Amino acid sequence: MEPDRQSGNQFGKTDFDRMADHEIRENIQSLQTLMIKLYKRNPSELKKSTSDDVEKMVNWVFNGNHNWNFDAINNAQSTDAIYLAFNEEYKGDRVLPFIVGIYTMLIKAHGGKKEFYLFDSIDPQLLYNTSRNIEMAVWKLSNSKNSSGKPFLITNELTEKENNLSFEREFGKIIGRTDFLAFTLSEKMERSIAKIIQNLATGLLIPI
């Protein structure tokens, strides 16, 4: 009889480790969902990257052998990649740097890991700052426009016939999970989190 690897992996984990495992796993799933939705709302962006279907592209981004370094966006990650998605001079697929930026920023805030054990450490301030950056990124997604007055990426739709806020709901889940872990760890470590108020007028992100 073979040993239960899943059970074996639970040794050396605290409740906080399991909480962090769940949080990052669920956030990655949400990002995959959001990438699919963004490509379906912005099919022209997908065509800039591939002739494959949406699901194949998203699977390659999240599971491909590239270590989250993409030549098409000059290997940009974290906040640099998010800024690129709203750069007028950039003519490539804007969904790619947007999702890559948020994913790599989240992983960096978790100490570069997606699974946690007894002696791993996560900085709650970094998690909190990352949540604020995601809020800013979502604001930019809804409000940033190119020189022609059109949004760089189409997301929610508010018309007399349709009220689609599914993007904001999914991003809200990511922000909520990340904040919950940040404040839970802050209490455990007895380390206060410095609250940050960002200026929407500048659209600047906190370095992570």
Side-chain angles (χ1 to χ4, degrees):
M1 182 176 179
E2 291 198 12
D4 185 342
R5 292 184 180 179
Q6 190 65 32
S7 297
N9 283 343
Q10 296 307 307
F11 288 111
K13 285 182 180 288
T14 67
D15 288 342
F16 292 101
D17 295 325
R18 284 185 278 273
M19 185 187 300
D21 285 350
H22 177 77
E23 175 261 349
I24 194 65
R25 184 170 59 247
E26 292 295 307
N27 280 347
I28 290 171
Q29 183 60 55
S30 285
L31 280 179
Q32 288 178 289
T33 298
L34 283 162
M35 193 173 200
I36 290 171
K37 291 168 70 68
L38 280 168
Y39 275 137
K40 287 187 174 180
R41 291 286 282 143
N42 301 271
S44 61
E45 301 302 315
L46 179 65
K47 291 177 182 177
K48 295 175 185 177
S49 284
T50 182
S51 57
D52 290 329
D53 62 28
V54 172
E55 285 74 15
K56 189 170 183 179
M57 174 65 178
V58 173
N59 181 61
W60 173 70
V61 170
F62 280 85
N63 302 302
N65 186 26
H66 44 60
N67 199 32
W68 288 84
N69 289 302
F70 298 92
D71 291 340
I73 58 174
N74 296 320
N75 300 324
Q77 294 187 340
S78 193
T79 56
D80 289 339
I82 296 171
Y83 282 132
L84 185 61
F86 303 101
N87 185 331
E88 180 108 33
E89 295 179 2
Y90 173 67
K91 303 303 180 186
D93 170 5
R94 294 182 185 277
V95 174
L96 180 62
F98 185 79
I99 294 296
V100 168
I102 293 178
Y103 176 94
T104 52
M105 183 173 61
L106 273 169
I107 297 300
K108 190 173 182 180
H110 288 74
K113 297 183 177 182
K114 292 187 288 185
E115 189 166 1
F116 306 93
Y117 294 92
L118 184 60
F119 297 107
D120 290 329
S121 177
I122 304 174
D123 184 347
Q125 185 71 55
L126 276 182
L127 291 176
Y128 174 84
N129 292 354
T130 294
S131 280
R132 305 292 72 74
N133 277 352
I134 295 173
E135 286 178 339
M136 179 62 78
V138 174
W139 184 88
K140 290 168 80 70
L141 198 60
S142 299
N143 294 278
S144 294
K145 295 178 172 58
N146 61 25
S147 57
S148 301
K150 296 180 179 179
F152 288 106
L153 289 168
I154 300 170
T155 53
N156 298 321
E157 189 167 18
L158 291 171
T159 66
E160 291 182 1
K161 295 181 179 179
E162 185 174 8
N163 187 347
N164 180 2
L165 295 173
S166 58
F167 285 92
E168 274 162 357
R169 282 196 295 269
E170 201 66 44
F171 277 117
K173 292 177 187 177
I174 297 175
I175 293 164
R177 292 184 200 113
T178 308
D179 272 341
F180 181 77
L181 182 61
F183 286 108
T184 302
L185 290 176
S186 173
E187 288 185 13
K188 175 205 170 191
M189 300 165 69
E190 297 183 346
R191 286 176 55 184
S192 61
I193 290 176
K195 302 294 180 64
I196 296 170
I197 299 175
Q198 289 174 281
N199 187 343
L200 294 179
T202 63
L204 293 176
L205 302 169
I206 306 163
I208 299 294

